[in-house]
Every structure is written in structure tokens, then in C-alpha cells.
Amino acid sequence: MIMKKYEIAVIPGDGIGKEVVPVSLKVLETVAEVHGGLKFEFQSFPWSSEYYIEHGKMMPEDGLKTLKNFESIFLGAIGNPALVPDHISLWGLLIKIRREFEQSINIRPAKYFKGLKSPLVNPNDFDLIVVRENSEGEYSEVGGRIHKGEDELAIQNAVFTKKGTERAMRYAFELAKKRRGHVTSATKSNGIFHSMPFWDEVFNVVKKEYQDVQTASYHIDALAAFFVTRPQIFDVIVASNLFGDILTDIGGAIMGSIGIAPAANINLNGKYPSMFEPVHGSAPDIVGKGIANPIGQIWTAKMMLDHFGEEELGKKLLDVIEDVTNDGIKTPDIGGTSSTEEVGDEICRRLKKAVSV
């Protein structure tokens, strides 16, 4: 068997990132062991809010140059407002990597998760994934503030390019072809005068190229409500930067915990690595207690496996994660009594029994 080797840059970051990332690396090492033809080489970087306090920056000047040489980036949690304001920590590391490495697509799944109590009365086995445009939209840096006092004025410009919009939509359609063949567009063209009619026009052009994929379009307010009342009708949802951000937090909520939600920031042109991170924050209130939920980080590792083309292996890993959760081996935040390490160790134990590739 030819050995496949993947070099991974690891940034545990802040708070519980330093606790759940090592557990997830043990899971990945177990995956490689049971596969027999995989090898992961991890290199860890201490870039974090604590690093900022010591060095005055979230990463070294040549940090991006260093990261560029890896196949992917495995990120924990960024942010510790007690040390560094969030806009400095995020724009100095997370968003800097996303933007400068042209990670133009963010994907986040949400599904009815065995062993996790959804707040929905009838979750109906929903299984959806949001494709979020990740490089422009409402999160542009274009705008500014002028004047002082009662005349102070803030302007924030949303930037939508045809290239960026089409890129996100085509990714969503290609993903839907591998799933259940349906794409929903998130819009608000009845209230946002320029950008959302433009979004709708591009969607209507792109969908003509995918006659075998069914489509729907909903205004974001109604779509957010449908995530709660009937999430089972959705397959792939494509959304702008802001709308996608909001919808994916709702996705985590209807699963029963945002602490298990994963995300992937995808570079499509092959020039730079993609980056994989859980949706949860750094949770400074539980740091050091050994009770941080590692599932979001481990599910993120599953998405990294998918990105490497190891989709069958990724599916088996997710099945094991669900089985462990369903058997009650889970951290206190989702109703269990197990520690971070105990959850990770049980996933590793069952992987050794269940995976045979």
C-alpha cells in the first residue's frame, strides 16, 4: 500500500482550543493507524491572545509564509477578550488567514445527531449543509466613520462581486450533486435594494447550468424561521457572508449544541491550504476543568478527511462519534458526565474496532 502523507499546521489558539485540539489529534492519529496507508505530520504553532500579549501581534510577520507550505490548517479557538479585544484577535489571525489564503468558501453542516437532544419537538432527521460566501459580502472592510458627537456617522459597505457570488453558488450546486440534489438560496431582495437582487440574478443564471438539481429561494427572515420549523426540507443552502453566519449558528442550535458544530474554510484555487475549525468559541469560563466538548473539533477533523478525499473514512469517523454520544459518553454541556479526554479515548477505542479500510 502506498503511504499518503499529509502535513498539517496546528494552531490550538486560546482557551479550550488548547484542550480539544490535542484530543482531536489523537483521534486523527488513530484514524491513520487503523487505515494503514495514511500518515499525518503535525506542526504546532503557539499563536494566540497570549502570544499577542508577549509579541504585540497574533502571529509573526512571516506567519502566512510559514503556513503556506502545509496541506491544511487545523485551528482550535481564537479569542480571549480579557487579554485582547476580539476585533484584534480575529482580524489578526483567523480572518487574516481566511482572506489572504483566499479561503472563499465556508461550509458548515448541521444534522440530527444521535444522542443529542434537539430543542425541536420534531427534528425529523434533518441533514443540511450551509455554503457561505467567505470573502466579501457584508463583511467587507469598505466603509468608515466621520464626525463626532450627535453628528457621528458610520458607513459599512457590502461588496458583492459576480466572481465571488458565482463561485459560492457553483460550489453549492456541485456539493448538492453528491448529496440529495437540492440547493436553496438565501436572499433578501425585498428589502436590500442592490446586492440581493444582484444575488438573485446570479443564482438564476447559475442554476440553468444544473438542470438536474432542484432549487428554491427564500428571504432570510423566512428561511431562518424554516430552519426551526422544518429543517428537514433543506439539503444545501447557499448564502452570503452575513446570512450564512447567522444560519449556521441556528444550525448548531437546532442540533442541540453549537459546541459540536464544525466548519471548513476552503481554498478553491490550490494556491493556499484550507483551514478547518469548530464553530464554538474559546469558552474561558471552563478552561482547565477538563470538561470541554471535543466533538466540534473532532467533527472538524472529519471534514478535513473529506477534503483530502478520504470521505469513506470521514463517514466512519462521524458514525463512531454519534455512537459514542448516543451511548451517553459525552461532556456535561450536552448532558453527560465524561471528561474531554474520556470522550476522545472512547472514540479512539471504537475506531480501532470499527474502521477497516
Side-chain angles (χ1 to χ4, degrees):
M1 179 183 293
I2 298 175
M3 182 69 71
K4 301 176 187 176
K5 186 176 75 171
Y6 299 105
E7 296 181 347
I8 314 298
V10 179
I11 307 175
D14 293 305
I16 62 170
K18 296 177 182 178
E19 300 175 22
V20 297
V21 166
V23 170
S24 302
L25 297 184
K26 286 174 61 177
V27 171
L28 281 170
E29 287 171 345
T30 302
V31 166
E33 176 187 339
V34 297
H35 181 281
L38 279 180
K39 182 180 180 182
F40 296 108
E41 291 188 355
F42 304 115
Q43 184 173 343
S44 187
F45 299 92
W47 306 336
S48 62
S49 296
E50 292 177 355
Y51 183 92
Y52 182 91
I53 294 300
E54 184 176 349
H55 300 277
K57 58 191 73 173
M58 291 297 295
M59 65 164 64
E61 293 295 335
D62 63 349
L64 292 177
K65 183 178 179 181
T66 299
L67 293 177
K68 183 181 178 181
N69 298 319
F70 291 87
E71 263 91 13
S72 72
I73 302 164
F74 195 58
L75 180 69
I78 297 299
N80 185 344
L83 296 178
V84 182
D86 281 342
H87 71 281
I88 292 177
S89 60
L90 292 178
W91 282 88
L93 184 60
L94 174 64
I95 297 177
K96 184 178 181 68
I97 294 171
R98 284 180 180 174
R99 294 290 169 89
E100 298 199 30
F101 278 0
E102 300 177 20
Q103 294 168 350
S104 58
I105 303 294
N106 180 276
I107 54 176
R108 298 182 181 179
K111 67 189 294 289
Y112 178 68
F113 206 85
K114 289 189 296 182
L116 199 65
K117 183 174 175 56
S118 170
L120 302 181
V121 174
N122 295 304
N124 293 315
D125 290 336
F126 67 88
D127 183 358
L128 58 88
I129 189 163
V130 176
V131 174
R132 168 187 170 192
E133 199 291 315
N134 204 36
S135 64
E136 50 185 41
E138 304 88 349
Y139 288 0
S140 81
E141 299 175 69
V142 180
R145 295 168 67 165
I146 58 173
H147 306 312
K148 297 292 182 182
E150 65 180 13
D151 292 324
E152 188 171 8
L153 174 67
I155 299 174
Q156 177 71 51
N157 292 335
V159 176
F160 287 76
T161 66
K162 186 175 182 181
K163 179 180 179 181
T165 303
E166 282 187 348
R167 184 169 53 203
M169 290 174 177
R170 286 203 172 88
Y171 190 95
F173 276 96
E174 292 295 331
L175 185 58
K177 287 168 64 177
K178 299 178 183 178
R179 288 172 52 92
R180 302 194 305 277
H182 193 283
V183 174
T184 299
S185 170
T187 184
K188 190 57 181 170
S189 50
N190 64 345
I192 301 177
F193 192 80
H194 293 294
S195 61
M196 285 294 107
F198 173 79
W199 176 276
D200 292 348
E201 291 165 13
V202 176
F203 185 75
N204 288 331
V205 170
V206 172
K207 75 179 184 181
K208 292 177 182 178
E209 302 174 21
Y210 296 89
Q211 297 293 324
D212 54 339
V213 177
Q214 295 181 303
T215 62
S217 180
Y218 294 106
H219 294 304
I220 185 62
D221 42 355
L223 182 52
F226 291 156
F227 259 46
V228 176
T229 58
R230 42 179 170 166
Q232 72 279 3
I233 71 171
F234 298 110
D235 180 19
V236 178
I237 302 96
V238 63
S240 68
N241 215 333
L242 174 62
F243 291 174
D245 198 4
I246 294 169
L247 289 174
T248 51
D249 276 5
I250 299 174
I254 63 176
M255 283 196 290
S257 173
I258 201 168
I260 72 165
N265 301 282
I266 304 298
N267 170 273
L268 296 177
N269 59 28
K271 294 180 181 178
Y272 306 102
S274 296
M275 179 168 63
F276 301 84
E277 54 169 328
V279 176
H280 64 68
S282 58
D285 56 318
I286 61 169
V287 170
K289 297 181 179 180
I291 58 172
N293 191 337
I295 292 178
Q297 193 78 51
I298 299 171
W299 193 349
T300 296
K302 180 268 184 193
M303 295 186 75
M304 187 167 68
L305 289 172
D306 292 342
H307 181 68
F308 289 151
E310 304 292 341
E311 294 180 350
E312 182 180 349
L313 198 55
K315 181 181 183 304
K316 289 180 179 179
L317 173 55
L318 186 58
D319 289 344
V320 168
I321 296 170
E322 282 198 86
D323 288 342
V324 168
T325 305
N326 198 38
D327 287 343
I329 304 164
K330 47 193 180 182
T331 47
D333 61 303
I334 53 174
T337 59
S338 301
S339 69
T340 308
E341 292 279 351
E342 287 169 344
V343 172
D345 288 346
E346 183 62 17
I347 290 172
C348 289
R349 188 184 72 82
R350 296 195 188 193
L351 272 172
K352 291 177 181 178
K353 293 177 60 176
V355 180
S356 176
V357 179

